[in-house]
Amino acid sequence: MTAITLDGVKTASDIKAELRGRIAALRSHGVVPGLATLLVGNDPGSETYVAGKHRDCAEVGIGSLRIDLPGSATSADVRAAIKDLNNSREVTGYIIQLPLPVGHNENAMLELIDPSKDADGLHPTNLGRLVLGIEGELRSPLPCTPAGIVELLRRYDVPIVGKKVVVVGRGLTVGRPLGLLFTRKGLDATVTLTHSRTVDLAGEVRRADIVVAAVGVPHLIQADWIKPGAAVLDVGITRVQDPLTGKGRLTGDVHPDVASVAGHLSPNPRGVGPMTRAMLLSNVVKAAEQSLLA
Ligand SMILES: Nc1nc2c(c(=O)[nH]1)N[C@@H](CN(C=O)c1ccc(C(=O)N[C@@H](CCC(=O)O)C(=O)O)cc1)CN2
């Protein structure tokens, strides 16, 4: 058996095509959705992701603004940039690219974002709304990677209700909010959130109908950990240098042999990463649509 590929590139492209129509409708009402990014330092991964976000915006017709601070920026510099973004009339939504360089308190910086401009759903107010399960008028943006994972499963008709989900990794951008999202009414999965101190990780993963690996440990998840037919989403990514060519290479958390056991598998790269970007665009468009209703 070879797993069906959960193709993030194709699905993200479908979503972008859908968003283009909604953006055109917004523009016809005089609303131009916009996104700003705040990047501190020159982490190569973060630079790639931020550049990708601006390319996506241009592709679908969202305005974008890039604020880059050097690695030497102090926490006061970052706070000042956040204050400017909060006060700017032109910027309706923005993100702080994570991780911030060592020495900056990420949670403290996220807390300074105006929650109504939080395009990433990572401000405590928006995470709190996720905890409270608030829907409807007050609907807040969902963190992009968890939203992308659920959207990818939905678009491939992978059943979620009543299924056992094991999430490997409890980080802020993926594991923690994903557990909340999967257990929301309507999705109704049973979630086990595992981490570095979990006893018998392989045993936990073996019970799962859906496995999400988001730790950044190359090939941690082995084929004999997977229940035959399970859906496996490979999220964690590690940049490794090929000792022969010296070139950088991306390696996911899931061993390639998993493809012969799983029912569905999101590759890495080209799986959840592009979905993360598509969900950011979707958050920006939804916020603009809500501003029209307000
Ligand atoms: N403020 C945020 N910071 C971070 C988030 C986030 O959602 N908000 N998530 C990740 C990084 N990320 C988005 O910012 C992200 C990760 C991966 C991709 C992606 O398209 N990856 C490609 C591979 C590209 C490459 O690395 O060369 C793929 O998987 O095919 C996009 C965005 C942490 N920080």
Side-chain angles (χ1 to χ4, degrees):
M1 178 169 86
T2 300
I4 294 167
T5 299
L6 299 172
D7 184 340
V9 173
K10 182 196 171 294
T11 310
S13 159
D14 293 346
I15 292 169
K16 283 191 263 187
E18 292 158 19
L19 289 175
R20 268 190 215 106
R22 287 163 63 186
I23 292 163
L26 282 164
R27 282 181 178 259
S28 72
H29 287 91
V31 177
V32 181
L35 173 75
T37 60
L38 174 57
L39 172 67
V40 185
N42 50 9
D43 172 75
S46 295
E47 294 212 349
T48 304
Y49 304 143
V50 167
K53 288 173 187 186
H54 289 276
R55 263 199 319 274
D56 292 338
C57 285
E59 212 184 298
V60 297
I62 291 178
S64 79
L65 171 72
R66 185 170 169 159
I67 310 286
D68 289 0
L69 298 182
S72 57
T74 62
S75 292
D77 296 331
V78 180
R79 277 197 297 273
I82 294 171
K83 197 171 167 196
D84 286 347
L85 287 164
N86 285 342
N87 292 335
S88 161
R89 289 170 68 88
E90 286 74 43
V91 174
T92 53
Y94 71 94
I95 63 119
I96 302 175
Q97 188 61 39
L98 301 177
L100 287 172
V102 175
H104 296 278
N105 181 337
E106 279 180 1
N107 289 346
M109 296 304 168
L110 289 171
E111 204 158 346
L112 294 175
I113 298 175
D114 174 344
S116 70
K117 291 191 172 187
D118 170 27
D120 247 346
L122 295 178
H123 183 278
T125 296
N126 291 322
L127 287 173
R129 288 187 177 143
L130 175 58
V131 175
L132 294 170
I134 290 179
E135 303 271 358
E137 263 176 53
L138 273 178
R139 206 172 67 171
S140 50
L142 291 173
C144 302
T145 304
I149 289 168
V150 169
E151 192 61 29
L152 194 54
L153 291 169
R154 269 196 187 135
R155 287 184 184 237
Y156 278 86
D157 294 322
V158 177
I160 299 175
V161 174
K163 297 299 175 189
K164 287 190 173 56
V165 178
V166 170
V167 180
V168 185
R170 56 180 159 185
L172 169 71
T173 54
V174 190
R176 277 171 196 256
L178 185 58
L180 294 165
L181 190 55
F182 266 131
T183 49
R184 252 187 173 184
K185 283 216 166 58
L187 291 182
D188 299 312
T190 302
V191 177
T192 304
L193 190 52
T194 67
H195 46 78
S196 54
R197 305 293 292 268
T198 294
V199 175
D200 190 17
L201 179 62
E204 296 292 346
V205 172
R206 275 190 195 108
R207 281 189 280 278
D209 304 302
I210 300 172
V211 180
V212 179
V215 274
V217 177
H219 298 174
L220 171 71
I221 309 295
Q222 303 289 312
D224 66 351
W225 293 18
I226 301 299
K227 186 204 274 193
V232 180
L233 293 109
D234 188 357
V235 183
I237 202 149
T238 308
R239 283 162 201 276
V240 283
Q241 204 162 22
D242 190 311
L244 294 176
T245 63
K247 281 193 181 156
R249 191 161 42 82
L250 301 176
T251 308
D253 288 352
V254 174
H255 194 282
D257 290 351
V258 166
S260 59
V261 187
H264 292 84
L265 177 62
S266 79
N268 196 354
R270 303 177 69 80
V272 171
M275 292 299 292
T276 298
R277 282 163 46 188
M279 291 298 108
L280 177 61
L281 300 176
S282 168
N283 280 348
V284 172
V285 171
K286 279 184 195 158
E289 288 170 341
Q290 277 170 15
S291 77
L292 260 189
L293 299 174

